[in-house]
Amino acid sequence: MKTPQEYIASLAAMKHNVWMNGQRVERPWEHPQIVPGINIVSLTYEWAQMPEYADMMTATSHLTGKTINRFTHIHQSADDLQKKVEMTRAYCRATGCIQRCMGIDSLNALSIITHHSDEMFETQYYPRLLEYIKYFQENDLVGNAAMTDVKGDRSLRPHQQADPDLYLHVVEKNDKGIVVRGAKAHNTMAPYAHELIVLPTREMKEEDADYAVAFAIPADAPGITMVCRGAAPSVKKETVAPVSSRYASVESLTIFDNVFVPWERVFMCGEWQLAGYLAEVFATYHRHSYCGCKPAITDILLGAAALVAEYNGIERASHVRGKLTELMTTAEIVHACGLAASLKGQRMTSGTYLPDLVYANVGKYYAGTNLHHEIELLQDLAGGLVVTLPSEEDINSPEIGAQLKKYLAGPASVAVDDRIRCFRLIEDMTASKFAGLLMVAGVHGGGSPEAERLAIYRSYDLETRKELAKKAAGIGM
Amino acid sequence: MKTPQEYIASLAAMKHNVWMNGQRVERPWEHPQIVPGINIVSLTYEWAQMPEYADMMTATSHLTGKTINRFTHIHQSADDLQKKVEMTRAYCRATGCIQRCMGIDSLNALSIITHHSDEMFETQYYPRLLEYIKYFQENDLVGNAAMTDVKGDRSLRPHQQADPDLYLHVVEKNDKGIVVRGAKAHNTMAPYAHELIVLPTREMKEEDADYAVAFAIPADAPGITMVCRGAAPSVKKETVAPVSSRYASVESLTIFDNVFVPWERVFMCGEWQLAGYLAEVFATYHRHSYCGCKPAITDILLGAAALVAEYNGIERASHVRGKLTELMTTAEIVHACGLAASLKGQRMTSGTYLPDLVYANVGKYYAGTNLHHEIELLQDLAGGLVVTLPSEEDINSPEIGAQLKKYLAGPASVAVDDRIRCFRLIEDMTASKFAGLLMVAGVHGGGSPEAERLAIYRSYDLETRKELAKKAAGIGM
Amino acid sequence: MKTPQEYIASLAAMKHNVWMNGQRVERPWEHPQIVPGINIVSLTYEWAQMPEYADMMTATSHLTGKTINRFTHIHQSADDLQKKVEMTRAYCRATGCIQRCMGIDSLNALSIITHHSDEMFETQYYPRLLEYIKYFQENDLVGNAAMTDVKGDRSLRPHQQADPDLYLHVVEKNDKGIVVRGAKAHNTMAPYAHELIVLPTREMKEEDADYAVAFAIPADAPGITMVCRGAAPSVKKETVAPVSSRYASVESLTIFDNVFVPWERVFMCGEWQLAGYLAEVFATYHRHSYCGCKPAITDILLGAAALVAEYNGIERASHVRGKLTELMTTAEIVHACGLAASLKGQRMTSGTYLPDLVYANVGKYYAGTNLHHEIELLQDLAGGLVVTLPSEEDINSPEIGAQLKKYLAGPASVAVDDRIRCFRLIEDMTASKFAGLLMVAGVHGGGSPEAERLAIYRSYDLETRKELAKKAAGIGM
Amino acid sequence: MKTPQEYIASLAAMKHNVWMNGQRVERPWEHPQIVPGINIVSLTYEWAQMPEYADMMTATSHLTGKTINRFTHIHQSADDLQKKVEMTRAYCRATGCIQRCMGIDSLNALSIITHHSDEMFETQYYPRLLEYIKYFQENDLVGNAAMTDVKGDRSLRPHQQADPDLYLHVVEKNDKGIVVRGAKAHNTMAPYAHELIVLPTREMKEEDADYAVAFAIPADAPGITMVCRGAAPSVKKETVAPVSSRYASVESLTIFDNVFVPWERVFMCGEWQLAGYLAEVFATYHRHSYCGCKPAITDILLGAAALVAEYNGIERASHVRGKLTELMTTAEIVHACGLAASLKGQRMTSGTYLPDLVYANVGKYYAGTNLHHEIELLQDLAGGLVVTLPSEEDINSPEIGAQLKKYLAGPASVAVDDRIRCFRLIEDMTASKFAGLLMVAGVHGGGSPEAERLAIYRSYDLETRKELAKKAAGIGM
């Protein structure tokens, strides 16, 4: 397993094609908007080295028997799934979003679908993938999942778009490999990942066969351009809350302009019948991950809510306890779904364990449709200062700073600086660009609420319930 | 293990002191309002004999090594807890409420608290309880949990009430045993249980010591009077839905008028410090049970919703699918909490496994505060006929029946009789006295939503979250 | 204006064709299930005579200048609309549902559409209708709105049904009038109304022209059969709450078997283009009425909630106040919509005022999707006794009654009989067949939530909002 | 009435004591963070000059008979109240928040309480206030309401705070006037208002008498320091949405350091009995204003939602229409409460009309507890691009801009630039500092949800409802 230092060194060794704010970023591993993302991923290398976390953060490769970072592991049991969701919550309590989940969620999904494909179509994807996974594990790599196409007119299928490139597709095949063109959106972490793992974004029909393509590619391969934006505050300040200034993600719109992919890295190419299944299985893994990260965000919001209530002197009020209890309930509903999805995980034909689809979807759906209310509760408990607190410069001003601190005092037992820091945290978490990202990622990360509802409806065993009702009604007896 | 027939025979052998509608019920095991309850409990004897259910419905006694009905088992592992919650869902899919859960929830709670009491106070309750449990297992008994006192003025503690009997209490102690007086409310199943297991209903202060009492007593012991009401439809009709006419519960207000309890059946007597803990532990077990039964009720409501949509010809409408998905989501959130509470169950000092308190409470709380909305969804999909469907006599009338059936037709593919039965089921489940019981039991069974919120708030590890927030805010660093 | 006695006498003078429980009801005005409905309607004759209510309960006919019952008035101003909604709340605070609203809602709707029809198609419906309204006002009649067809397969249009009678339609026209066949469902109040006012239930296409029919017909006309069910408790008891034993509605499935309607009572016949508009305008009036009656039901639920909290000794608890406030908020949101719909009411071409469609729909929608939650709140505050309170016979039993009353005591200051009555009321209002009707009528009365959402979406001025957004975004500037 | 130009000139004539980002702002009327606020207020001068808006935006002074800006008017009728709430919606549709409401809400509240005070205590505040109002109307002034104290430990009353200045209070009285010290928070618009109107923030006890103080003071009076922050984007960009770059508010923490107020501008001084009443009456007016502005914000969010759905090609999907309908419903519930509060407004002893307290509170409460969900709906419909859209510089880059525009295309009929602008608007409105302000102002503006719930509970006529329930239950009959 790599150390954080080795990870950063490996990034520095990459060619990079990263743009931000109209300029090519020459040294992305040092850019102030990208460093917070690298800090996050570094943590996954750091904690994996710590003996007290060994059981949770590492695993034994089923391919090589070696100890590997759990973020490179193919889940072999329900217990593996449980550890993944608990590891995710642990990391995200420190960082808000650990990001590295998406790579391993992709590889697990591919391990199921390639095996299935080989059975159905006599393709050779599964052994090829295993080779790739070994390489991935041994080099302790960071993989980005590049899934969501830009999609153009969403009422049209891929091949129906005015511009055929609005979904990424194969434009050429030869005996060395394939050439692809298109763009993938919302690629969190892309500028500091080693690999892009490209998956189809939806089910396909036969006419869309060229769009049914999955592969892995080094993130600095020729033809790839990343246009990025960061979520960290643009100016570094003393009292800015660490959670957003030290740990924040970067989003990329990634353009694939005639990118060549050798066959040994191609895991789907034309098997349109399995494109939707692959998308769904990846989504299931990723929604399972959200059952770890979203409760972690609630953990922080809840802690901030309890803290600000104390700093405002209202912690004993009945409505305050009620609101804290709502936050607790939300966190644990989501996490319970993650645990249930693990416990009810199923062994697929390749041996990989897949979380229960219904529970994984229910958990992410509940998280995504309750986050805004959680933010409302925190803002409710905090009060207007969240958005009216004077700037750091004013508070530090030799002329007006003392007056400001006089008037920003809470209960006598609370240091005014702590109170100010607490409000800065809540501003960052609920009333900033960072908060905007948090909210939108809560709704759309891993798929939209409608996608989750559809997945639940489609996979639920409704017929059994209709039979129960018939029996209860005395129909057909 | 007893057969259903042996169970019914054992009821017939009991002295009974059951009142209903102003009259003493001479043969409760034949009373039309009580038979539906007996039908339910009989099922727990029947399925336990079926090989295909053996793993779920039976267990191995940790005391005797014998195969026992799981409803008499003291949970020895997280897996036992999971099986209990899954068994509960399975039974309740057929019956709505299996009822026998409460006895075993009481005994498990006592197995924890008596052990604790012996450690704290050098009492001898735990070995005494083990003897009782052996007896309970060997005779495959049905135990009712008599917990909720009538409570008088709820703003006053037990010893402060105008009438000291408004909470059940010890009025005499002698070397043979104790004498108790008071009344317990909402005792589902009491008239067809063998044993009443009496528990304190709340935490106590020192002045309430006489009220800190727990014991088991045969349901037909001298001094016990049960005043009952049934939930089954008062008149048996052909098309009444089986779920309420064949399976329905009976509620008892049980009066203890100077009832003598021998010491070998007394499990708490004056240890006021543990009264609240016992109440909480029982509640945790019982809320865990609700994570099985409430999803089962949703299973039936969901099935009925899907069925009536089909019988109305609207099953493909987008809003219909959306509403079905809401029902699915609700069921699985609750069940996920039950599974998570099992998985995270803890071994207590006596060896008994206790479900995770937070998950058990969150599950019951979510169930209890969403059931009315589920009923709303079902009524929404069904339409006004739920409450305007003409009576069975009208539909069967030789003069107007044919006309009615003409106009009660749905899609041509649906038999009109099936459609009528489906509406009867929905009427029973959502618009009847039976439905009223369902709703109130959903809210208050196992404790009120406020009690659950309080339990969550009190047992949640809030300090850890505050530390996370401090770290995120840079406080104290 | 009639007196209550004259109203009852007029019912006795009618031929009746009312069935209930498989039997023809010979004297419906004396049937214990129908009397509670008659009691309600009688109130509208009684209060209209009371000077203190004159301004609210009566109006001046715009046709004759005479003082008339407001339930026979065609609204001539926004103030008329406001009085109608406030009158409805006043009556329903005493009765739960005043029922007589539907007749006048129908006539107001017809006064708009017939005028429109005459303009569009040179028909002569409007003057014909005015004659009928004069007759209606002068005889102070009670009109039932017979609107909802039985509908068969709801995915099919009227003319597509397997049985053409599943929507009421014209089967013959001659120079005297028309002959119709079909059935109308959910006809509250039909067996004690003088007139049935028949309206189409939905928009129609040209092929459905025979189904586009509206008319008024005496409720005892040849060929009409009503199959009824009542919502009152089946057995009259002393402590049964007056609200359901004295005041309850009756629902009818009304069969029209080749019923002849003379031309002077026909108000639409074949103008399929206006069928949907008529249905919508009636629905708007009726949803406006719900903005009066639903807050009245909440008034009673809220009062019961406050009372039971007091009778349980918990009225000062913070969560109790919170729940009462939720009920207050719900009532006033709905009523505010009724007031706003009145204030923004529009004068139509006939001079009739129509409530604002959006506000009327929003109000009814909010009411219908919150009632179940209101019931949940009341049950939450009341506790399990709502469904476990022993029967009246037990409480009055000379043998066990005294013991029961001892244990049913609340705070010392509350008479136990009052506490028992309070629980009976809550049982009636939330956990009985009557409650079932309340809930389903809340959801479906005046149209389903989906119908209301569709009405809001269709009539809302969305383009203006898109323009605002474009301006805010700088699009097209 | 002033023109916009005169307004700006009048600001330039003021001494200013405005700080931002650690620096004194020399020319606040030109500061890029303050100009957007001035733009908003200028609109109130501009539209008042437009004949088509005359009826809504101007009024006739009841003191002088002259035509005045409605933002300086004391409401003399229910119709005045209705026009105020409709004017507020009209202005806020363009600006999001019109800000000038708070001054006139303060003066109306003072017109009621000073009259009341003179009656109770024989003070002379009311005639003094009328003089001030004449001056305010004739000079067409902008008044800021400085109400919320910084409050320190919220569990303590004003006089109990560790630092007595944590609530603003009188530190000296002499024959010329009074001297006050303290600070007021969340003073939107203060740096571009002419006058600060200072009100107490809560009810007081006798020991708090020095804190029961209300007055008006020029915003540039000696001793006043404003520490401000703006909500506009920090960098002006081409495609930034006008709504936030052209129209945005400024918040001030305003310090009163021994500020002298002459008696003719003092409207409460020591009448602690009326402090809470004044706070409540101001809050009622201001919550009534929110019933205009919050629907306007929903108008914009709804427009953006409809637009982005179209630009994504999903406008015909059933769930999309459902979400748009939810937004419509929310807007109109709030506005209906504003209209109902107007219609049911009451004439107070001074002749001033006060909106109905319950409706005003219900409206604001509903708005404040639904805004986050509205934002969720909009983000749901828009998708991830809200937070991952590349920067303006990237899109305009000669090197990568063309590629980006290729991939940011929506349906072929939509100009890609319009689609980009639309996403920028949604980013501004939902995922930015500006959005943070919107959300927090939605929750806390005019008082917190808990304050509103308390106001509803306290002022609701609960006894009448208890009587209804008693009657329905047959209690006391």
Side-chain angles (χ1 to χ4, degrees), chain D residues 177-232:
Chain D
I178 60 175
V179 177
V180 299
R181 191 161 59 230
K184 293 284 187 174
H186 323 319
N187 296 148
T188 312
M189 196 185 69
Y192 43 95
H194 303 105
E195 296 273 317
L196 307 184
I197 301 166
V198 177
L199 305 174
T201 201
R202 53 170 294 171
E203 31 86 68
M204 307 273 175
K205 294 269 166 74
E206 189 162 5
E207 301 90 328
D208 303 316
D210 287 343
Y211 296 86
V213 58
F215 57 87
I217 185 94
D220 60 350
I224 294 178
T225 306
M226 298 178 186
V227 189
C228 297
R229 64 187 250 180

Side-chain angles (χ1 to χ4, degrees), chain D residues 321-343:
Chain D
R321 293 187 176 197
K323 284 163 190 164
L324 297 180
T325 306
E326 271 197 74
L327 291 168
M328 294 167 183
T329 300
T330 302
E332 300 314 329
I333 282 177
V334 177
H335 201 61
C337 289
L339 293 174
S342 305
L343 187 63

Side-chain angles (χ1 to χ4, degrees), chain A residues 279-456:
Chain A
E280 180 180 274
V281 168
F282 168 72
T284 301
Y285 277 113
H286 209 44
R287 290 166 195 170
H288 179 252
S289 292
Y290 271 92
C291 297
C293 67
K294 289 303 159 211
I297 287 174
T298 308
D299 286 330
I300 303 173
L301 296 174
L302 167 62
L307 215 56
V308 81
E310 203 177 299
Y311 290 1
N312 282 342
I314 56 169
E315 74 272 24
R316 279 176 302 273
S318 159
H319 77 91
V320 173
R321 294 187 175 194
K323 285 164 189 164
L324 298 179
T325 306
E326 271 197 73
L327 291 168
M328 294 168 183
T329 301
T330 303
E332 301 313 329
I333 282 176
V334 177
H335 201 61
C337 289
L339 294 174
S342 305
L343 185 65
K344 294 285 169 185
Q346 278 194 298
R347 191 180 186 282
M348 306 304 281
T349 55
S350 65
T352 305
Y353 267 69
L354 177 67
D356 181 80
L357 193 147
V358 169
Y359 287 122
N361 274 282
V362 167
K364 168 58 186 30
Y365 175 71
Y366 195 82
T369 53
N370 281 276
L371 177 58
H372 290 70
H373 183 58
E374 298 177 70
I375 285 173
E376 177 192 332
L377 290 176
L378 176 50
Q379 291 175 340
D380 185 347
L381 293 176
L385 272 189
V386 171
V387 292
T388 68
L389 186 71
S391 69
E392 187 174 322
E393 293 85 351
D394 288 319
I395 291 171
N396 293 339
S397 154
E399 287 149 305
I400 57 170
Q403 281 278 69
L404 282 178
K405 289 199 178 181
K406 170 185 168 80
Y407 286 116
L408 292 170
S413 60
V414 176
V416 66
D417 281 352
D418 287 354
R419 191 163 182 260
I420 290 169
R421 280 185 182 277
C422 182
F423 276 99
R424 286 280 176 245
L425 171 67
I426 298 171
E427 183 185 342
D428 268 22
M429 297 287 289
T430 74
S432 65
K433 280 186 69 165
F434 180 83
L437 180 67
L438 206 68
M439 287 189 285
V440 174
V443 173
H444 286 286
S448 71
E450 288 309 315
E452 289 144 13
R453 291 166 68 93
L454 194 62
I456 295 166

Side-chain angles (χ1 to χ4, degrees), chain A residues 84-227:
Chain A
K84 190 257 255 178
V85 82
E86 293 184 334
M87 166 179 79
T88 305
R89 186 165 184 175
Y91 275 124
C92 294
R93 284 176 157 191
T95 63
C97 172
I98 194 58
Q99 305 180 31
R100 204 174 166 188
C101 52
M102 69 179 90
I104 198 55
D105 289 343
S106 311
L107 292 182
N108 273 275
L110 284 168
S111 81
I112 292 169
I113 304 302
T114 53
H115 194 267
H116 204 54
S117 176
D118 290 0
E119 287 179 332
M120 281 176 76
F121 303 114
E122 302 188 10
T123 50
Q124 294 296 323
Y125 295 132
Y126 185 63
R128 193 184 278 177
L129 179 74
L130 292 186
E131 286 311 303
Y132 178 73
I133 291 172
K134 271 189 234 167
Y135 164 77
F136 195 87
Q137 290 177 342
E138 278 168 27
N139 290 283
D140 203 358
L141 296 179
V142 173
N144 166 274
M147 187 195 200
T148 311
D149 290 279
V150 293
K151 293 193 277 193
D153 185 337
R154 292 171 195 204
S155 69
L156 303 177
R157 309 192 65 82
H159 75 278
Q160 296 171 321
Q161 299 289 332
D163 177 346
D165 301 343
L166 289 171
Y167 284 75
L168 185 142
H169 59 127
V170 177
V171 292
E172 191 189 320
K173 291 187 214 181
N174 56 42
D175 51 354
K176 298 269 181 52
I178 62 176
V179 176
V180 299
R181 190 160 61 231
K184 293 282 187 175
H186 323 318
N187 296 149
T188 312
M189 194 186 69
Y192 42 95
H194 303 105
E195 295 272 318
L196 306 183
I197 301 167
V198 177
L199 306 172
T201 202
R202 53 170 294 169
E203 31 84 68
M204 307 273 177
K205 295 270 166 72
E206 189 160 7
E207 300 91 327
D208 303 315
D210 287 342
Y211 296 86
V213 59
F215 56 87
I217 185 95
D220 59 351
I224 294 178
T225 306
M226 299 177 186
V227 189

Side-chain angles (χ1 to χ4, degrees), chain C residues 86 89 93 241-243 299 303-304 310 322 332-333 335 344 359 362 366 421 453 460 465-466 469 472-474, chain D residues 86 89 93 241-243 299 303-304 310 322 332-333 335 344 359 362 366 418 421 453 457 460 465-466 469 472 474:
Chain C
E86 294 184 333
R89 186 165 183 175
R93 283 177 157 191
V243 85
D299 286 330
E310 204 177 299
E332 300 314 329
I333 282 176
H335 201 61
K344 293 286 170 186
Y359 287 121
V362 167
Y366 194 83
R421 280 185 183 278
R453 291 167 67 94
Y460 205 80
R465 274 72 177 184
K466 282 161 76 173
Chain D
E86 293 184 334
R89 186 165 183 175
R93 283 176 158 192
V243 85
D299 287 330
E310 204 177 299
E332 300 314 329
I333 282 177
H335 201 61
K344 293 286 171 186
Y359 287 121
V362 167
Y366 195 82
D418 286 353
R421 280 186 182 277
R453 291 167 68 93
Y457 182 80
Y460 205 80
R465 274 73 176 184
K466 281 160 77 173

Side-chain angles (χ1 to χ4, degrees), chain B residues 289-344:
Chain B
S289 290
Y290 272 91
C291 296
C293 67
K294 289 303 157 209
I297 287 174
T298 308
D299 286 331
I300 303 172
L301 297 174
L302 167 62
L307 215 55
V308 81
E310 203 176 300
Y311 289 1
N312 283 341
I314 57 170
E315 75 273 23
R316 279 177 301 275
S318 160
H319 77 92
V320 173
R321 294 187 175 195
K323 284 163 190 164
L324 298 179
T325 307
E326 271 197 73
L327 291 168
M328 295 166 182
T329 300
T330 302
E332 300 314 329
I333 282 176
V334 177
H335 201 60
C337 289
L339 294 174
S342 305
L343 186 64
K344 292 288 170 185

Side-chain angles (χ1 to χ4, degrees), chain D residues 331-473:
Chain D
E332 300 314 329
I333 282 177
V334 177
H335 201 61
C337 289
L339 293 174
S342 305
L343 187 63
K344 293 286 171 186
Q346 279 195 299
R347 190 180 185 281
M348 306 305 280
T349 55
S350 65
T352 305
Y353 267 69
L354 177 67
D356 181 81
L357 195 147
V358 168
Y359 287 121
N361 273 282
V362 167
K364 167 59 185 30
Y365 175 72
Y366 195 82
T369 53
N370 281 276
L371 177 57
H372 291 70
H373 183 58
E374 297 176 72
I375 285 173
E376 177 192 332
L377 291 175
L378 175 49
Q379 292 175 339
D380 184 347
L381 293 177
L385 271 190
V386 172
V387 292
T388 69
L389 186 72
S391 69
E392 188 174 320
E393 293 86 349
D394 287 319
I395 291 171
N396 292 340
S397 153
E399 289 149 303
I400 57 172
Q403 280 277 69
L404 283 178
K405 289 199 179 182
K406 169 185 167 82
Y407 286 116
L408 292 170
S413 61
V414 176
V416 68
D417 281 351
D418 286 353
R419 191 164 182 260
I420 291 168
R421 280 186 182 277
C422 182
F423 276 100
R424 286 280 177 244
L425 171 67
I426 298 172
E427 182 184 344
D428 267 22
M429 297 286 289
T430 73
S432 66
K433 278 187 71 164
F434 181 81
L437 181 67
L438 206 68
M439 288 190 284
V440 174
V443 173
H444 286 286
S448 70
E450 288 308 316
E452 289 144 12
R453 291 167 68 93
L454 194 62
I456 295 166
Y457 182 80
R458 279 192 189 161
S459 60
Y460 205 80
D461 176 11
L462 187 54
E463 287 310 310
T464 295
R465 274 73 176 184
K466 281 160 77 173
E467 285 311 309
L468 290 173
K470 281 186 182 171
K471 215 162 166 182

